[in-house]
Amino acid sequence: AQTATGVSAGMSVYLFSHPDVNEFLTGLEGSPRDTIRPRVEEYMNANPQVKAEMSAIRQPLVDMRQRCGTGGDDEVS
């Protein structure tokens, strides 16, 4: 729970300090679920710095899930 809370807090701070990224992600709300992942992937590929920064924020959660064997696709891509 601490890891997830830390990642959530880190992501919150990141989005607050990067309003353009926050606006993009918030703008996806209400979109059909099957269109969200491709749009996020396209955005991240066009913004590799954002992708790297968000991946770094999420890395502790990815690591924990891999250690615990819960898997899942946790990369921001």
Side-chain angles (χ1 to χ4, degrees), residues 44-59:
M44 294 299 167
N45 289 335
N47 297 280
Q49 183 69 31
V50 171
K51 182 178 181 177
E53 292 167 349
M54 291 181 76
S55 291
I57 292 167
R58 294 189 59 168
Q59 194 60 49

Side-chain angles (χ1 to χ4, degrees), residues 14-61:
Y14 182 83
L15 292 174
F16 181 78
S17 62
H18 294 81
D20 54 326
V21 179
N22 190 32
E23 183 177 334
F24 168 75
L25 294 173
T26 303
L28 296 174
E29 187 175 348
S31 297
R33 289 187 65 90
D34 63 334
T35 67
I36 292 174
R37 182 176 289 271
R39 290 175 64 192
V40 170
E41 288 176 356
E42 181 180 323
Y43 182 86
M44 294 299 167
N45 289 335
N47 297 280
Q49 183 69 31
V50 171
K51 182 178 181 177
E53 292 167 349
M54 291 181 76
S55 291
I57 292 167
R58 294 189 59 168
Q59 194 60 49
L61 189 57

